[in-house]
Amino acid sequence: MATIRNELRQNEQGEPEVWANLGDILDWVGTLPSNANHPAAAGAALEIKQMLLDQFGNATVVQGE
C-alpha cells in the first residue's frame, strides 16, 4: 500500500488546505493498474499521471529523505 505524506498549511486567506507530496501521489497512481481488474486502468493511470505532471511543470524539485 502506498503512503501519501501530507500536512495542513494555511493559504493566503488563512484557511487550512492539505498539501500532499506529489511523488507519493505519482507512486500511488502507478499502482492503480495492478489494483484494478480492468484493462483500461493502465491507460487511465497514465493519463492521470500526465495531467498531474503538466500542472506542476514549473515546480521546484526538493530532494527528500
Side-chain angles (χ1 to χ4, degrees):
M1 187 72 168
T3 300
I4 299 177
R5 294 168 284 175
N6 59 65
E7 62 184 72
L8 276 176
R9 294 186 184 181
Q10 287 187 343
N11 62 19
E12 291 83 21
Q13 292 79 31
E15 298 172 358
E17 60 185 20
V18 176
W19 284 51
N21 183 290
L22 180 59
D24 292 345
I25 294 170
L26 294 173
D27 289 344
W28 175 79
V29 168
T31 67
L32 292 178
S34 63
N35 291 321
N37 291 327
H38 197 280
L46 184 60
E47 193 170 330
I48 292 167
K49 187 174 185 177
Q50 189 58 53
M51 285 189 288
L52 285 169
L53 291 172
D54 288 346
Q55 291 295 313
F56 299 99
N58 295 327
T60 302
V61 176
V62 177
Q63 295 297 324
E65 300 128 25

